[in-house]
Amino acid sequence: METTKQPIGLSNQLEALNFKALLSDNSINLNRNRKHIKSTTRGNFREQILRKVQNRISPETIQEDSKIPLTCQFQLFQTAMKHLLISGQFMGLNPVSRISDHNPTKIRFTVFSWKFVYGVIIGIAQACATVLCFCKLLKDSVNIVALAYFAFYLSTGCNTFIFLRVASKWPTLIKHVYETQLDSYIDVKVKNKCFAAYIIFFSMSMTEHMLSLLSRFVITMDCLPKGSDLFESYIIRNFPWLFEFDVPYYLPVGIILQFLTLVSTINWSYSDLFIVCMSIYLTSILKQINKKIEMAGNSNHLPIPFWRTLREDYTRATRLVRSFDDTISSVIFLSFASNLFFICLQLYNILSNGVTSKYNLLKEMCPNYPSGPLGGYEQIMYLLFSLSFLLGRSLVVSLVAAKVHSASMVPASALYNIPRNMYCSEIQRFLDQVHGDKVALSGLRFFYVTRSLVLSVAGTIVTYELVLLQFSNED
Amino acid sequence: MRTKLTPIIFYGVTFISMIAFIRASRRWPELIQHISKSEELDPSFDFKLKKKCNITLLLVLVLAILEHIFSIRSAYSAAQICYPDTGFYEGFVRYLYPWVFDFLPYSAALGMVTQFLNIQSHFIWNFTDLFVICMSYYLTSRLDLVNKKLLPAQGKYLPEIFWRTTRETYCRATKLVRKVDEIINGILFISFANNLFFVCVQLFNTFDDSVDMVGLCYNYSERRTKPVGSEPVIYLLFSLGFLISRSIAVSLIASQVNLASTVPAPILYDVPSAVYCVEVQRFLEQVNGDNVALTGLQFFSVTRGLLLSVAGTIVTYELVMVQFNQAPASDSFTEKIVENNISTIETFYNYS
């Protein structure tokens, strides 16, 4: 017998983990029709369980192996979120040192790292831009372009500072992910889904930035007086909030401003991507639990300890959702608020001014018109693409984040169908918990992201648009 | 019309607040007796509560005094323009309180009495919010007493007697919340209604009048006076900022009571099955089913979601009100559009 060769402590751990690992491991061939499950804890089952336990207990062995089989939630989380988190750090967001390390003790948040300083510099630059835009807004009358600039820099500046706060809570969150004992609910498709979301969001965000650059360069080229520098006139035209205060133009200033615009534009859609990836991860865990409940509901008889374990796993999953919510709820709040504001603003702009804005009319009076590759339609294309990207992004974030709540309500319907001979106090406790607990991502606890929120936000947008459009009808 | 309506509402609301406080003070002794009995059974060692209340009190009163100073400065500079030929104090008092001095003859004593009444009313306005904030601090600390006992017990194997005593402590705390709510719900209702009304009116004044029209004299003989300097602007912006931050602070702090009452639920879900008993089940049912929060005359419960719906209401009302004001032929709006277009064309051709 193998147990006589192992130290006492490990065999006790094996005894404790035996039953649980046995029932939840898909790779162990379990004949579900057998009544006496406890008797099948001998022989090769012990080998498999021992290997799994050793993998989990010693993290030092894990980091040496690059092709790690995904056996725990922590590794899945780190591999799925690697691209997202590292590219965020290029924009000064979430400056946690060694964020993709597979050893959770190495992940730390320190104030004196260069990533933190870089993030703070970008945040301060965006804050300065916000203040200058606000001064310009006060100086001129309230018009849509100035308001849009102000709101843009304000929301991206707030985003940077909110992610600094997220970074300070990140090591605690990672610790919770590492310690959550939900390793039997791993869905490897999460990696592919997160990567696909990452590619789609980034490519569309870069396309939007390219289109914006193109349309602005074309406008500058159209109305360029003879003999002046293209880049200089482009910078002065597009950053009026800086150059109207008699700041002289220098080439490095122009390059810095262009870099700031790039970072802010990607920042704008980064928080949506972040929320989508976290929601995909959390939903996958809840869905795996739901699958197991459904399979269990179809079988003939399962003992009370099985339901107890299932309920405890569900509790751990909801605790994980709550822990994620504590960390990222401010990101969700800001994302929803800024999406709502910008959708209202863009829709009002298009509905009241039409797609051919006064810029297009004035452009035709310019000497070099039309000089762009799309023959005068760059502005329209950018406007339409930007609006549809914004609408699509808001819709996707709302729907994906609402899946967490929907997935947490699914066990109820499976539990209602449990036959009379299997019903026990554990199932009653499980049902009470599913009914009573509200498991959802929230925006700073002001609102919970559910499917009905999408409907009420849409209703709000329509109401505000109808009221705002009355303004333009009086001209 | 708007300038005449605001003082009526202001003094009317302070009068109603006085009545609400009188009603509360009649039931105050029984509330204190209930609190002393409850504190005897669950002694609390929260020393930070007193410091929190004192700091909040100091902060709000200092900011209120600052606002009053700004208002006096702005009234002084406006009175110099509107009433240049009367004495210093007379002009000042006539500018501030036209609803008295348009009907009654001027005397320095009457001016001082009116000013004293005005200061009293402003103080009542701030005191209502402060009262709600301090009561919410106290109730949150009582609910946190239960939470502090429960948090170390998460996932542990504890006997039934522990769950029973914790549940009874929680019951007493919620009963205290309900008792306090019975007595102060009128005050809370007035505070929220008042804040909502004045935020709408002040925001509307800021958007509509545009700051160079502040300082309009009430007797209309000096219509569209020359700009009176920066004091009215500072006063307007400071007053608006103070009002909005006070309203948000009251909503957030009063909603902490509701948040603190929902904390036991996750801990109770984690109770291991070996020690799950009827006491834990009762406790869970109470936490899930009972809505523990301060209310406004039982019309609404103060939760975090309320703040969001109030903000939405304010934005909707602002949009509708600004639009109403521009419906008749208003030259300033179309003038601004023409100016805007001209400046856009100019920037196209001049790059220097």
Side-chain angles (χ1 to χ4, degrees), chain A residues 223 225 237 308 311 315 319 322 358 365 426 429 433 436-437 444-447 464 467-468 471 475, chain B residues 154 259 266 268-271 273 276 304-305 307-308 312 316 319 323 326 333 341 345 348-349 351:
Chain A
C223 302
R237 269 203 89 241
R308 183 186 313 158
R311 187 187 56 80
T315 312
R319 197 150 29 115
R322 209 165 284 123
K358 54 184 189 244
M365 300 192 280
E426 287 294 331
R429 215 180 146 190
Q433 186 169 344
D437 201 10
L444 279 180
R445 306 284 206 108
F446 283 112
F447 56 85
Y464 286 170
V467 171
L468 282 175
F471 281 124
D475 290 344
Chain B
Q154 182 153 18
L259 274 182
L268 291 170
Y269 288 132
D270 258 344
V271 171
S273 299
Y276 186 77
R304 283 224 171 164
L307 180 56
L308 214 59
T316 312
L319 287 177
Q323 168 207 335
Q326 286 171 349
F333 189 61
N341 278 338
I345 297 175
F348 259 93
Y349 288 99
Y351 280 115

CSV table of all heavy atoms in Angstrom, one decimal, chain A residues 223 225 237 308 311 315 319 322 358 365 426 429 433 436-437 444-447 464 467-468 471 475, chain B residues 154 259 266 268-271 273 276 304-305 307-308 312 316 319 323 326 333 341 345 348-349 351:
chain,number,residue,atom,x,y,z
A,223,CYS,N,-7.0,73.4,-45.8
A,223,CYS,CA,-7.0,74.8,-45.5
A,223,CYS,C,-5.7,75.4,-45.2
A,223,CYS,O,-5.5,76.3,-44.5
A,223,CYS,CB,-8.0,75.2,-44.4
A,223,CYS,SG,-9.7,74.6,-44.8
A,225,PRO,N,-2.5,77.4,-45.4
A,225,PRO,CA,-2.0,78.5,-46.2
A,225,PRO,C,-0.6,78.2,-46.8
A,225,PRO,O,0.1,77.3,-46.2
A,225,PRO,CB,-1.8,79.6,-45.2
A,225,PRO,CG,-2.5,79.2,-43.9
A,225,PRO,CD,-2.6,77.7,-44.0
A,237,ARG,N,-4.2,73.7,-34.6
A,237,ARG,CA,-5.7,73.6,-34.8
A,237,ARG,C,-6.3,72.7,-33.9
A,237,ARG,O,-7.5,72.9,-33.4
A,237,ARG,CB,-5.9,73.1,-36.2
A,237,ARG,CG,-6.0,74.1,-37.3
A,237,ARG,CD,-6.8,73.6,-38.5
A,237,ARG,NE,-8.2,73.9,-38.3
A,237,ARG,CZ,-9.1,72.9,-38.2
A,237,ARG,NH1,-8.8,71.7,-38.4
A,237,ARG,NH2,-10.4,73.2,-38.0
A,308,ARG,N,-23.6,19.4,-0.2
A,308,ARG,CA,-23.0,20.3,0.7
A,308,ARG,C,-21.7,20.9,0.0
A,308,ARG,O,-21.5,22.1,0.0
A,308,ARG,CB,-22.6,19.6,1.9
A,308,ARG,CG,-21.9,20.5,2.9
A,308,ARG,CD,-21.4,19.8,4.1
A,308,ARG,NE,-22.4,18.9,4.6
A,308,ARG,CZ,-22.1,17.8,5.4
A,308,ARG,NH1,-20.9,17.5,5.7
A,308,ARG,NH2,-23.1,17.0,5.8
A,311,ARG,N,-22.8,23.3,-2.7
A,311,ARG,CA,-23.2,24.6,-2.2
A,311,ARG,C,-22.0,25.4,-1.7
A,311,ARG,O,-21.9,26.6,-1.9
A,311,ARG,CB,-24.2,24.4,-1.0
A,311,ARG,CG,-24.8,25.7,-0.5
A,311,ARG,CD,-25.6,25.4,0.7
A,311,ARG,NE,-24.9,24.8,1.8
A,311,ARG,CZ,-24.0,25.4,2.6
A,311,ARG,NH1,-23.9,26.7,2.5
A,311,ARG,NH2,-23.3,24.8,3.4
A,315,THR,N,-20.8,29.1,-2.9
A,315,THR,CA,-20.5,30.2,-2.0
A,315,THR,C,-19.2,30.8,-2.2
A,315,THR,O,-19.0,32.0,-2.2
A,315,THR,CB,-20.6,29.7,-0.5
A,315,THR,OG1,-21.8,29.0,-0.3
A,315,THR,CG2,-20.6,30.8,0.4
A,319,ARG,N,-18.3,34.5,-3.4
A,319,ARG,CA,-17.4,35.4,-2.6
A,319,ARG,C,-16.3,35.9,-3.5
A,319,ARG,O,-15.9,37.1,-3.4
A,319,ARG,CB,-16.8,34.5,-1.5
A,319,ARG,CG,-16.1,35.3,-0.5
A,319,ARG,CD,-16.1,34.8,0.9
A,319,ARG,NE,-16.0,33.4,1.1
A,319,ARG,CZ,-15.0,32.7,1.6
A,319,ARG,NH1,-14.0,33.4,2.0
A,319,ARG,NH2,-15.1,31.5,1.8
A,322,ARG,N,-17.8,38.8,-5.3
A,322,ARG,CA,-17.9,40.0,-4.5
A,322,ARG,C,-16.5,40.6,-4.3
A,322,ARG,O,-16.4,41.9,-4.3
A,322,ARG,CB,-18.4,39.6,-3.1
A,322,ARG,CG,-19.2,40.7,-2.4
A,322,ARG,CD,-20.0,40.2,-1.3
A,322,ARG,NE,-21.2,39.5,-1.7
A,322,ARG,CZ,-21.5,38.2,-1.5
A,322,ARG,NH1,-20.7,37.5,-0.7
A,322,ARG,NH2,-22.6,37.7,-1.9
A,358,LYS,N,-21.0,71.9,-40.1
A,358,LYS,CA,-20.6,73.1,-40.7
A,358,LYS,C,-19.1,73.1,-41.2
A,358,LYS,O,-18.7,73.9,-42.0
A,358,LYS,CB,-20.8,74.3,-39.7
A,358,LYS,CG,-20.2,74.0,-38.4
A,358,LYS,CD,-20.5,75.1,-37.4
A,358,LYS,CE,-19.7,75.0,-36.2
A,358,LYS,NZ,-20.4,74.7,-35.0
A,365,MET,N,-14.8,75.9,-49.0
A,365,MET,CA,-14.3,77.2,-49.4
A,365,MET,C,-12.8,77.3,-49.3
A,365,MET,O,-12.2,78.3,-49.6
A,365,MET,CB,-14.9,78.3,-48.5
A,365,MET,CG,-16.4,78.3,-48.5
A,365,MET,SD,-17.1,79.8,-47.7
A,365,MET,CE,-17.0,79.3,-46.0
A,426,GLU,N,-29.6,20.5,2.9
A,426,GLU,CA,-28.6,21.2,2.1
A,426,GLU,C,-29.2,21.9,0.9
A,426,GLU,O,-28.8,23.0,0.6
A,426,GLU,CB,-27.5,20.2,1.7
A,426,GLU,CG,-26.6,19.8,2.8
A,426,GLU,CD,-25.8,20.9,3.4
A,426,GLU,OE1,-25.5,21.8,2.6
A,426,GLU,OE2,-25.5,20.9,4.6
A,429,ARG,N,-31.0,24.9,1.9
A,429,ARG,CA,-30.1,26.0,2.2
A,429,ARG,C,-29.6,26.6,0.9
A,429,ARG,O,-29.5,27.8,0.8
A,429,ARG,CB,-29.0,25.5,3.0
A,429,ARG,CG,-28.5,26.4,4.0
A,429,ARG,CD,-27.3,25.9,4.8
A,429,ARG,NE,-26.4,27.0,5.1
A,429,ARG,CZ,-25.2,26.9,5.6
A,429,ARG,NH1,-24.8,25.7,5.9
A,429,ARG,NH2,-24.5,27.9,5.9
A,433,GLN,N,-30.1,30.4,-0.5
A,433,GLN,CA,-29.0,31.3,-0.9
A,433,GLN,C,-29.1,31.9,-2.3
A,433,GLN,O,-28.9,33.0,-2.5
A,433,GLN,CB,-27.7,30.5,-0.7
A,433,GLN,CG,-26.5,31.4,-0.9
A,433,GLN,CD,-25.2,30.7,-0.6
A,433,GLN,OE1,-25.2,29.6,0.1
A,433,GLN,NE2,-24.1,31.2,-1.0
A,436,GLY,N,-31.8,34.6,-2.1
A,436,GLY,CA,-31.6,35.8,-1.3
A,436,GLY,C,-30.4,36.6,-1.6
A,436,GLY,O,-30.4,37.8,-1.4
A,437,ASP,N,-29.4,36.0,-2.2
A,437,ASP,CA,-28.1,36.7,-2.4
A,437,ASP,C,-28.1,37.4,-3.8
A,437,ASP,O,-28.5,36.7,-4.8
A,437,ASP,CB,-27.0,35.7,-2.3
A,437,ASP,CG,-25.7,36.4,-2.0
A,437,ASP,OD1,-25.7,37.6,-1.7
A,437,ASP,OD2,-24.6,35.8,-2.1
A,444,LEU,N,-19.9,50.9,-8.0
A,444,LEU,CA,-19.8,51.5,-6.7
A,444,LEU,C,-21.0,51.3,-5.8
A,444,LEU,O,-21.4,52.2,-5.0
A,444,LEU,CB,-19.5,53.0,-6.8
A,444,LEU,CG,-18.0,53.4,-7.1
A,444,LEU,CD1,-17.9,54.9,-7.2
A,444,LEU,CD2,-17.1,52.9,-6.0
A,445,ARG,N,-21.7,50.2,-6.0
A,445,ARG,CA,-22.9,49.8,-5.3
A,445,ARG,C,-24.1,50.8,-5.6
A,445,ARG,O,-25.1,50.7,-4.9
A,445,ARG,CB,-22.7,49.8,-3.8
A,445,ARG,CG,-21.6,49.0,-3.3
A,445,ARG,CD,-22.0,47.5,-3.3
A,445,ARG,NE,-21.2,46.8,-2.4
A,445,ARG,CZ,-21.7,46.3,-1.2
A,445,ARG,NH1,-23.0,46.4,-1.0
A,445,ARG,NH2,-20.9,45.7,-0.4
A,446,PHE,N,-23.9,51.7,-6.6
A,446,PHE,CA,-25.0,52.6,-6.9
A,446,PHE,C,-26.0,51.8,-7.8
A,446,PHE,O,-27.2,52.0,-7.6
A,446,PHE,CB,-24.6,53.8,-7.7
A,446,PHE,CG,-23.9,54.8,-6.9
A,446,PHE,CD1,-22.6,55.1,-7.0
A,446,PHE,CD2,-24.7,55.6,-6.0
A,446,PHE,CE1,-22.0,56.1,-6.2
A,446,PHE,CE2,-24.1,56.6,-5.2
A,446,PHE,CZ,-22.8,56.8,-5.3
A,447,PHE,N,-25.5,51.0,-8.7
A,447,PHE,CA,-26.4,50.2,-9.5
A,447,PHE,C,-25.8,48.8,-9.7
A,447,PHE,O,-24.5,48.7,-9.7
A,447,PHE,CB,-26.7,50.9,-10.9
A,447,PHE,CG,-25.4,51.2,-11.6
A,447,PHE,CD1,-24.8,50.2,-12.5
A,447,PHE,CD2,-24.8,52.4,-11.6
A,447,PHE,CE1,-23.7,50.5,-13.2
A,447,PHE,CE2,-23.7,52.7,-12.2
A,447,PHE,CZ,-23.1,51.8,-13.0
A,464,TYR,N,-33.3,61.7,-22.8
A,464,TYR,CA,-32.5,62.9,-22.9
A,464,TYR,C,-32.4,63.4,-24.3
A,464,TYR,O,-32.3,64.6,-24.5
A,464,TYR,CB,-31.1,62.6,-22.3
A,464,TYR,CG,-31.1,62.5,-20.8
A,464,TYR,CD1,-30.0,62.0,-20.2
A,464,TYR,CD2,-32.2,62.8,-20.0
A,464,TYR,CE1,-29.9,61.9,-18.8
A,464,TYR,CE2,-32.1,62.7,-18.7
A,464,TYR,CZ,-31.0,62.2,-18.1
A,464,TYR,OH,-31.0,62.1,-16.7
A,467,VAL,N,-35.4,65.4,-25.3
A,467,VAL,CA,-35.5,66.8,-24.6
A,467,VAL,C,-34.4,67.7,-25.3
A,467,VAL,O,-34.7,68.8,-25.6
A,467,VAL,CB,-35.2,66.6,-23.1
A,467,VAL,CG1,-35.0,68.0,-22.5
A,467,VAL,CG2,-36.4,65.9,-22.5
A,468,LEU,N,-33.2,67.2,-25.5
A,468,LEU,CA,-32.1,68.0,-26.1
A,468,LEU,C,-32.5,68.4,-27.5
A,468,LEU,O,-32.1,69.5,-27.9
A,468,LEU,CB,-30.8,67.2,-26.1
A,468,LEU,CG,-30.1,67.1,-24.8
A,468,LEU,CD1,-28.9,66.2,-24.9
A,468,LEU,CD2,-29.6,68.5,-24.3
A,471,PHE,N,-34.0,71.8,-28.2
A,471,PHE,CA,-33.1,73.0,-28.3
A,471,PHE,C,-32.9,73.3,-29.8
A,471,PHE,O,-33.0,74.5,-30.2
A,471,PHE,CB,-31.8,72.7,-27.7
A,471,PHE,CG,-31.8,72.8,-26.2
A,471,PHE,CD1,-31.4,71.7,-25.5
A,471,PHE,CD2,-32.3,73.9,-25.6
A,471,PHE,CE1,-31.4,71.8,-24.1
A,471,PHE,CE2,-32.3,74.0,-24.2
A,471,PHE,CZ,-31.8,72.9,-23.5
A,475,ASP,N,-34.0,76.8,-33.6
A,475,ASP,CA,-33.1,77.7,-34.4
A,475,ASP,C,-33.8,78.2,-35.6
A,475,ASP,O,-34.4,77.4,-36.3
A,475,ASP,CB,-31.8,77.0,-34.7
A,475,ASP,CG,-31.0,76.8,-33.5
A,475,ASP,OD1,-31.3,77.4,-32.5
A,475,ASP,OD2,-30.0,76.0,-33.6
B,154,GLN,N,-16.1,34.1,10.3
B,154,GLN,CA,-16.4,33.6,9.0
B,154,GLN,C,-15.8,32.2,8.8
B,154,GLN,O,-14.6,32.0,8.9
B,154,GLN,CB,-15.9,34.5,7.9
B,154,GLN,CG,-16.3,34.1,6.5
B,154,GLN,CD,-16.4,35.2,5.5
B,154,GLN,OE1,-15.9,36.3,5.8
B,154,GLN,NE2,-17.1,35.0,4.4
B,259,LEU,N,-26.2,49.9,3.9
B,259,LEU,CA,-25.1,49.0,3.5
B,259,LEU,C,-24.6,48.2,4.6
B,259,LEU,O,-24.3,47.0,4.5
B,259,LEU,CB,-24.0,49.9,2.9
B,259,LEU,CG,-24.0,50.2,1.5
B,259,LEU,CD1,-22.8,51.0,1.1
B,259,LEU,CD2,-24.1,49.0,0.6
B,266,PRO,N,-23.2,37.5,3.6
B,266,PRO,CA,-22.2,36.6,3.0
B,266,PRO,C,-21.5,35.7,4.1
B,266,PRO,O,-21.2,34.6,3.9
B,266,PRO,CB,-21.1,37.5,2.4
B,266,PRO,CG,-21.8,38.8,2.3
B,266,PRO,CD,-22.8,38.9,3.3
B,268,LEU,N,-23.0,34.6,6.8
B,268,LEU,CA,-23.9,33.5,7.2
B,268,LEU,C,-24.0,32.4,6.1
B,268,LEU,O,-24.3,31.3,6.5
B,268,LEU,CB,-25.3,34.1,7.4
B,268,LEU,CG,-25.4,35.0,8.7
B,268,LEU,CD1,-26.7,35.7,8.7
B,268,LEU,CD2,-25.2,34.2,9.9
B,269,TYR,N,-23.8,32.8,4.8
B,269,TYR,CA,-23.8,31.8,3.8
B,269,TYR,C,-22.6,30.8,4.0
B,269,TYR,O,-22.7,29.7,3.6
B,269,TYR,CB,-23.7,32.4,2.4
B,269,TYR,CG,-25.0,33.1,2.0
B,269,TYR,CD1,-24.9,34.4,1.4
B,269,TYR,CD2,-26.2,32.5,2.1
B,269,TYR,CE1,-26.1,35.0,1.0
B,269,TYR,CE2,-27.3,33.1,1.7
B,269,TYR,CZ,-27.3,34.4,1.2
B,269,TYR,OH,-28.4,35.0,0.7
B,270,ASP,N,-21.5,31.3,4.7
B,270,ASP,CA,-20.3,30.5,4.8
B,270,ASP,C,-20.3,29.6,6.0
B,270,ASP,O,-19.4,28.9,6.2
B,270,ASP,CB,-19.1,31.5,4.9
B,270,ASP,CG,-18.4,31.6,3.6
B,270,ASP,OD1,-18.6,30.7,2.8
B,270,ASP,OD2,-17.6,32.5,3.5
B,271,VAL,N,-21.4,29.6,6.8
B,271,VAL,CA,-21.5,28.8,8.0
B,271,VAL,C,-21.4,27.3,7.6
B,271,VAL,O,-22.2,26.9,6.8
B,271,VAL,CB,-22.7,29.1,8.8
B,271,VAL,CG1,-22.9,28.1,9.9
B,271,VAL,CG2,-22.7,30.5,9.3
B,273,SER,N,-21.8,23.3,7.3
B,273,SER,CA,-23.1,22.6,7.5
B,273,SER,C,-23.2,21.9,8.9
B,273,SER,O,-24.3,21.6,9.4
B,273,SER,CB,-23.2,21.6,6.4
B,273,SER,OG,-23.3,22.2,5.2
B,276,TYR,N,-24.8,24.4,11.2
B,276,TYR,CA,-26.0,25.1,10.7
B,276,TYR,C,-27.2,24.7,11.5
B,276,TYR,O,-27.5,23.6,11.7
B,276,TYR,CB,-26.2,24.7,9.2
B,276,TYR,CG,-27.3,25.5,8.5
B,276,TYR,CD1,-27.1,26.8,8.1
B,276,TYR,CD2,-28.5,25.0,8.3
B,276,TYR,CE1,-28.1,27.5,7.5
B,276,TYR,CE2,-29.5,25.7,7.7
B,276,TYR,CZ,-29.3,27.0,7.3
B,276,TYR,OH,-30.3,27.7,6.7
B,304,ARG,N,-28.1,53.7,-1.8
B,304,ARG,CA,-27.2,54.3,-2.8
B,304,ARG,C,-27.9,54.5,-4.1
B,304,ARG,O,-27.6,55.5,-4.8
B,304,ARG,CB,-26.0,53.4,-3.0
B,304,ARG,CG,-25.0,53.5,-1.9
B,304,ARG,CD,-23.6,53.6,-2.5
B,304,ARG,NE,-22.6,53.9,-1.4
B,304,ARG,CZ,-21.3,53.8,-1.5
B,304,ARG,NH1,-20.8,53.3,-2.6
B,304,ARG,NH2,-20.6,54.1,-0.6
B,305,GLY,N,-28.8,53.6,-4.4
B,305,GLY,CA,-29.5,53.8,-5.7
B,305,GLY,C,-30.4,55.1,-5.7
B,305,GLY,O,-30.6,55.6,-6.8
B,307,LEU,N,-29.5,58.0,-4.7
B,307,LEU,CA,-28.7,59.1,-5.1
B,307,LEU,C,-28.7,59.2,-6.6
B,307,LEU,O,-28.8,60.3,-7.2
B,307,LEU,CB,-27.3,59.0,-4.5
B,307,LEU,CG,-26.3,60.1,-4.9
B,307,LEU,CD1,-26.8,61.4,-4.5
B,307,LEU,CD2,-25.0,59.8,-4.2
B,308,LEU,N,-28.5,58.0,-7.2
B,308,LEU,CA,-28.5,58.0,-8.7
B,308,LEU,C,-29.8,58.5,-9.3
B,308,LEU,O,-29.8,59.3,-10.3
B,308,LEU,CB,-28.2,56.6,-9.1
B,308,LEU,CG,-27.4,56.4,-10.4
B,308,LEU,CD1,-26.1,57.0,-10.2
B,308,LEU,CD2,-27.3,54.9,-10.7
B,312,GLY,N,-30.5,61.7,-11.7
B,312,GLY,CA,-31.2,61.7,-13.0
B,312,GLY,C,-32.3,62.6,-13.0
B,312,GLY,O,-32.5,63.3,-14.1
B,316,THR,N,-32.8,65.8,-15.7
B,316,THR,CA,-34.0,65.9,-16.6
B,316,THR,C,-34.7,67.2,-16.3
B,316,THR,O,-35.0,67.9,-17.3
B,316,THR,CB,-35.0,64.8,-16.2
B,316,THR,OG1,-34.3,63.5,-16.2
B,316,THR,CG2,-36.1,64.7,-17.2
B,319,LEU,N,-32.7,70.1,-17.9
B,319,LEU,CA,-32.9,70.2,-19.4
B,319,LEU,C,-34.2,70.8,-19.8
B,319,LEU,O,-34.3,71.6,-20.6
B,319,LEU,CB,-32.7,68.8,-20.0
B,319,LEU,CG,-31.3,68.2,-20.0
B,319,LEU,CD1,-31.3,66.8,-20.5
B,319,LEU,CD2,-30.4,69.1,-20.8
B,323,GLN,N,-34.8,74.7,-21.4
B,323,GLN,CA,-35.5,74.8,-22.7
B,323,GLN,C,-36.7,75.7,-22.6
B,323,GLN,O,-36.9,76.4,-23.6
B,323,GLN,CB,-35.9,73.3,-23.1
B,323,GLN,CG,-36.8,73.3,-24.2
B,323,GLN,CD,-37.6,72.0,-24.1
B,323,GLN,OE1,-37.1,71.0,-23.5
B,323,GLN,NE2,-38.8,72.0,-24.6
B,326,GLN,N,-35.8,79.3,-23.0
B,326,GLN,CA,-35.3,79.8,-24.2
B,326,GLN,C,-36.4,79.8,-25.3
B,326,GLN,O,-36.2,80.2,-26.4
B,326,GLN,CB,-34.1,79.0,-24.7
B,326,GLN,CG,-32.9,79.4,-23.9
B,326,GLN,CD,-31.8,78.4,-24.2
B,326,GLN,OE1,-32.0,77.4,-24.8
B,326,GLN,NE2,-30.6,78.8,-23.7
B,333,PHE,N,-29.4,83.8,-27.4
B,333,PHE,CA,-29.0,82.5,-27.9
B,333,PHE,C,-28.6,82.5,-29.3
B,333,PHE,O,-27.6,82.0,-29.7
B,333,PHE,CB,-30.2,81.5,-27.7
B,333,PHE,CG,-29.9,80.1,-27.9
B,333,PHE,CD1,-28.9,79.4,-27.2
B,333,PHE,CD2,-30.6,79.4,-28.9
B,333,PHE,CE1,-28.6,78.1,-27.4
B,333,PHE,CE2,-30.3,78.1,-29.1
B,333,PHE,CZ,-29.3,77.4,-28.4
B,341,ASN,N,-20.2,80.9,-35.1
B,341,ASN,CA,-19.9,80.7,-36.5
B,341,ASN,C,-18.9,81.6,-37.0
B,341,ASN,O,-17.9,81.2,-37.7
B,341,ASN,CB,-21.2,80.8,-37.4
B,341,ASN,CG,-22.0,79.5,-37.3
B,341,ASN,OD1,-21.4,78.4,-37.0
B,341,ASN,ND2,-23.3,79.6,-37.6
B,345,ILE,N,-15.1,80.6,-38.5
B,345,ILE,CA,-14.6,81.0,-39.9
B,345,ILE,C,-13.3,81.7,-39.7
B,345,ILE,O,-12.4,81.5,-40.5
B,345,ILE,CB,-15.6,81.9,-40.6
B,345,ILE,CG1,-16.9,81.1,-40.8
B,345,ILE,CG2,-15.1,82.4,-41.9
B,345,ILE,CD1,-18.0,81.9,-41.4
B,348,PHE,N,-10.4,79.5,-39.2
B,348,PHE,CA,-10.0,78.8,-40.4
B,348,PHE,C,-8.9,79.6,-41.1
B,348,PHE,O,-8.0,79.0,-41.7
B,348,PHE,CB,-11.2,78.6,-41.3
B,348,PHE,CG,-11.7,77.2,-41.2
B,348,PHE,CD1,-12.7,76.9,-40.4
B,348,PHE,CD2,-11.1,76.2,-42.0
B,348,PHE,CE1,-13.2,75.6,-40.3
B,348,PHE,CE2,-11.6,74.9,-41.9
B,348,PHE,CZ,-12.6,74.6,-41.0
B,349,TYR,N,-9.1,80.9,-41.1
B,349,TYR,CA,-8.2,81.7,-42.0
B,349,TYR,C,-7.0,82.3,-41.3
B,349,TYR,O,-6.1,82.7,-41.9
B,349,TYR,CB,-9.0,82.8,-42.7
B,349,TYR,CG,-9.9,82.2,-43.8
B,349,TYR,CD1,-11.2,81.9,-43.6
B,349,TYR,CD2,-9.3,81.8,-45.0
B,349,TYR,CE1,-12.0,81.3,-44.5
B,349,TYR,CE2,-10.1,81.2,-46.0
B,349,TYR,CZ,-11.5,81.0,-45.8
B,349,TYR,OH,-12.2,80.4,-46.7
B,351,TYR,N,-4.1,81.8,-38.6
B,351,TYR,CA,-3.4,80.8,-37.8
B,351,TYR,C,-2.4,81.3,-36.8
B,351,TYR,O,-1.8,80.6,-36.1
B,351,TYR,CB,-2.7,79.8,-38.6
B,351,TYR,CG,-3.6,78.8,-39.2
B,351,TYR,CD1,-3.8,78.7,-40.6
B,351,TYR,CD2,-4.3,77.9,-38.4
B,351,TYR,CE1,-4.6,77.8,-41.2
B,351,TYR,CE2,-5.1,76.9,-39.0
B,351,TYR,CZ,-5.3,76.9,-40.3
B,351,TYR,OH,-6.1,76.0,-40.9
